[in-house]
Amino acid sequence: MTPGRGTPDMTRERESTTINVSTVDRQAYSESAAIIARAFENEPTVCAILRADPAVRTKRLASVFSIMMHTVEPRGWILQASKDDKPCGAAFMHPPGTYPIPVLSQLQIISKAVMRHGFQGLGRWIQLLNAYEKQHPKQLPHYYLELLGVLPEQQGRGIGSAMLRELVRRADTDEVGCYLETADPRNLPLYERFGFCIQAEENIIGVRVWFMWRSA
């Protein structure tokens, strides 16, 4: 059962606009995937993997993220942030004990992605995932934030913070840690404000990646 499904968290940003954050069901997965895809279209690892025009990257990302969400359900859960009843942010997370996902699910994601989009970038994608897996905490229970994105035109308005606040609230309630990776140095101050600390950094597929942990 997905934790807290349908339970909203209300946050006020600088503009005094209410940001609603809630866990969504599979009917909203494609919409959430499209939001994250737009946020990630120029993300460094994405650009290194998908060497194509931004519009092409965004379309492929939306497809692959949707495959991931539908395949991993119900082990993971997806948050969606809305402002004025319009979705503007989304996050894909794994509660304690649900990551790594089963090998069969991993193979299903890769095979579906290849069938839809071919082999372009597959080797670099697998290389990145393997490097991520080596750094991932193996013993301590934790929430894993795999993806978080806000529509480009809505960034800098407290939407990412609202989703992070919900993540750390759940982690604190369960008295467990949180973990994430980021390849965008601009994200580091935001995560650090929520208590994440850099545990390691590594050059992968020509991109600098930071691995961050927040203690219980």
Side-chain angles (χ1 to χ4, degrees):
M1 183 175 183
T2 304
R5 183 178 295 279
T7 303
D9 171 51
M10 310 290 280
T11 302
R12 294 282 178 178
E13 62 171 329
R14 297 189 192 96
E15 300 174 353
S16 298
T17 301
T18 300
I19 302 170
N20 300 319
V21 178
S22 61
T23 312
V24 298
D25 57 25
R26 64 184 295 115
Q27 283 72 30
Y29 287 0
S30 295
E31 181 178 58
S32 296
I35 291 171
I36 298 175
R38 283 201 58 204
F40 271 66
E41 66 183 14
N42 293 313
E43 192 269 350
T45 61
V46 168
C47 293
I49 293 169
L50 300 177
R51 298 167 183 173
D53 292 337
V56 175
R57 287 200 298 267
T58 302
K59 185 176 180 180
R60 288 190 61 179
L61 284 174
S63 174
V64 173
F65 290 161
S66 181
I67 291 170
M68 291 168 57
M69 292 175 184
H70 283 88
T71 303
V72 172
E73 187 197 38
R75 294 174 64 88
W77 44 273
I78 292 88
L79 286 182
Q80 195 174 92
S82 299
K83 190 172 67 172
D84 299 327
D85 295 324
K86 296 180 180 179
C88 52
F92 182 30
M93 308 180 186
H94 302 266
T98 63
Y99 191 90
I101 64 174
V103 173
L104 180 58
S105 296
Q106 297 178 41
L107 293 175
Q108 288 175 338
I109 292 170
I110 292 172
S111 63
K112 289 177 181 178
V114 168
M115 284 190 291
R116 290 189 187 182
H117 305 291
F119 290 92
Q120 182 183 12
L122 179 62
R124 293 185 292 275
W125 181 29
I126 292 176
Q127 183 181 347
L128 179 73
L129 294 179
N130 287 339
Y132 280 6
E133 183 58 30
K134 290 179 181 178
Q135 292 284 356
H136 200 104
K138 301 299 190 296
Q139 303 298 328
L140 296 174
H142 61 278
Y143 281 84
Y144 171 38
L145 175 58
E146 185 167 8
L147 298 168
L148 183 146
V150 176
L151 292 175
E153 63 271 20
Q154 296 288 348
Q155 292 175 4
R157 300 180 180 181
I159 298 163
S161 294
M163 292 186 287
L164 283 169
R165 190 171 293 112
E166 175 63 8
L167 168 64
V168 301
R169 182 191 69 79
R170 298 188 187 200
D172 289 346
T173 298
D174 294 343
E175 298 182 339
V176 298
C178 300
Y179 178 76
L180 60 84
E181 309 105 353
T182 183
D184 190 340
R186 295 174 299 178
N187 292 334
L188 297 177
L190 171 63
Y191 294 135
E192 287 170 343
R193 285 202 301 272
F194 280 87
F196 287 88
C197 298
I198 297 171
Q199 296 295 293
E201 52 186 286
E202 183 179 350
N203 283 316
I204 311 169
I205 59 172
V207 177
R208 196 69 172 169
V209 178
W210 290 267
F211 302 88
M212 305 189 75
W213 173 261
R214 180 182 186 270
S215 298

